[in-house]
Structure formats: C-alpha cells, structure tokens
C-alpha cells in the first residue's frame, strides 16, 4: 500500500539521520530518539480524546488510554537514558528542536493520515528494537560498559538493586516491541 510505503520511507529517512549523527553512541541516541518517541502517543491520544469530546461519545476504539500510556512509557525511557548518557547542552538543544519539529509534523500526519501515522510509529518501534538489540551486542562485546542501572530504571521496572545497563536495555527493548505491535495493529484496523 502507498501509505505503508510512505511510512517506511519516512522511518528509514529518520533512521539514516540517527545513524549518521549518533553512530554507535547508543545512550545519546536513545536520549534524542526517546524524546521524539514520546510524541506520537501524546498526539494520537490527545486527538482521539478531543474527537470523543467533539462527538460527545465514548472512546469508540478504546485507544486513548493505550496511546497516553505509550507516551508516558516513552517519557520514562527518556528519563532513564538521561541518567545514563548525561546529554550535553548541544544534545539538549537538539532534543528541543527535534521535539518541536516532530510534534508539528506528526500532528498534521495524524489528523490527515492516521493509518500512515500509526504504521510509521510501528516501523519506528521496529527500528528501536533493532537499535536496542545492537546496544545489547555492544554491551555483550565489552565495547560499552555494563554500568549499574540508574535508580529510576530499577524503580520503574522493578529490577533488582544490583541491576546493570544490560537489564535496562532489555526491558526498554521489550516495551518498544510492544509499542510496535500495538501501532501496527492500530494501522491494520484503519
């Protein structure tokens, strides 16, 4: 389908920028990408919420809570990786810029092409799973230090007090796979 091809093209274009800018700096990559990843659930949840209000009907598909929960989960990923990567001021500016641009882009995409928007997020999340798998490979190969997990990750995921980065990345990767499945399912239903 054309919408799926557009979603794939957009995803791979964004992936190229991430690969070019961050290469194997996975912690820093996660900080910037997770700030963008928190946008779709919030935009889509807000839009479905407003549609429910306009129509004065319940959430027909039951998506509002799922989408807002996804946005919150992605926000927590960001909070975790801020503790791990400690972004500098340039990366913090990039976060603000990326979020501003992506919020507006995704809002327009979602209002006019919700199927393409959900498919794109599904593809984004598929790519996130690949990136987090590569991150795990870097940790396992000893090229990235398997540092202690930050307390925020231990608390959020209920990890053991002596958890390491590897456990955090595995937990985040599992979340991303779940988001991919949900968004592909939503796109299929549209």
């Amino acid at each position: 389908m054309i919408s799926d091809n557009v979603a794939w093209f957009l995803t791979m274009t964004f992936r190229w920028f991430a690969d070019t800018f961050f290469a194997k700096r996975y912690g820093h990559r996660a900080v910037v990408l997770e700030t963008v990843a928190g946008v779709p659930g919030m935009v889509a949840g807000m839009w479905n919420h407003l549609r429910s209000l306009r129509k004065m009907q319940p959430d027909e598909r039951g998506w509002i809570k799922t989408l807002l929960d996804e946005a919150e989960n992605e926000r927590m990923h960001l909070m975790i990786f801020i503790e791990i990567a400690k972004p500098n001021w340039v990366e913090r500016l990039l976060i603000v810029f990326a979020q501003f641009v992506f919020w507006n882009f995704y809002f327009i995409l979602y209002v006019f092409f919700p199927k393409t928007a959900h498919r794109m997020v599904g593809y984004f999340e598929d790519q996130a799973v690949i990136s987090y798998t590569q991150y795990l490979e870097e940790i396992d190969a000893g090229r990235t230090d398997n540092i202690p997990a930050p307390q925020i990750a231990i608390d959020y995921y209920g990890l053991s007090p002596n958890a390491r980065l590897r456990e955090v990345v595995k937990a985040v990767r599992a979340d991303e796979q779940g988001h991919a499945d949900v968004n592909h399912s939503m796109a299929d239903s549209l």
Side-chain angles (χ1 to χ4, degrees):
M1 294 189 82
I2 292 173
S3 69
D4 288 0
N5 291 335
V6 169
W8 179 252
F9 173 78
L10 291 169
T11 300
M12 296 316 290
T13 300
F14 291 132
R15 172 78 196 221
W16 179 84
F17 281 111
D19 288 346
T20 300
F21 192 78
F22 295 107
K24 292 186 181 284
R25 296 173 50 225
Y26 289 102
H28 294 271
R29 171 194 210 114
V31 167
V32 174
L33 296 181
E34 293 296 353
T35 195
V36 169
V39 169
M42 185 58 66
V43 168
M46 175 195 71
W47 187 252
N48 281 283
H49 174 76
L50 293 174
R51 182 176 54 224
S52 174
L53 295 175
R54 282 191 310 273
K55 291 184 172 188
M56 296 179 212
Q57 295 176 347
D59 180 17
E60 299 161 347
R61 296 174 275 207
W63 288 6
I64 295 170
K65 183 168 179 3
T66 301
L67 292 164
L68 294 178
D69 286 348
E70 178 181 312
E72 173 63 9
N73 179 253
E74 297 289 9
R75 185 186 71 81
M76 289 305 298
H77 293 171
L78 174 63
M79 298 297 109
I80 290 166
F81 282 105
I82 284 173
E83 292 295 317
I84 292 167
K86 310 261 191 258
N88 62 35
W89 68 271
V90 172
E91 289 162 331
R92 288 177 183 269
L93 283 176
L94 183 59
I95 288 167
V96 171
F97 177 75
Q99 189 178 78
F100 175 78
V101 170
F102 191 71
W103 172 273
N104 290 293
F105 166 77
Y106 193 78
F107 178 77
I108 291 167
L109 183 66
Y110 196 82
V111 169
F112 295 104
F113 306 101
K115 179 177 181 167
T116 303
H118 280 295
R119 184 70 69 202
M120 184 181 74
V121 172
Y123 289 150
F124 276 12
E125 301 295 2
D126 289 337
Q127 292 302 309
V129 169
I130 292 168
S131 291
Y132 284 118
T133 299
Q134 292 168 339
Y135 198 176
L136 285 171
E137 290 167 0
E138 291 293 306
I139 293 167
D140 291 344
R143 292 185 293 268
T144 297
D145 291 337
N146 192 17
I147 62 172
Q151 190 61 47
I152 190 171
I154 291 169
D155 294 343
Y156 185 67
Y157 286 112
L159 301 174
S160 72
N162 59 348
R164 311 294 289 184
L165 177 60
R166 187 173 202 294
E167 286 87 2
V168 174
V169 173
K170 283 179 68 176
V172 171
R173 182 179 67 174
D175 288 345
E176 302 297 11
Q177 184 61 64
H179 299 323
D181 295 343
V182 166
N183 278 279
H184 284 307
S185 175
M186 288 176 171
D188 290 343
S189 73
L190 295 171

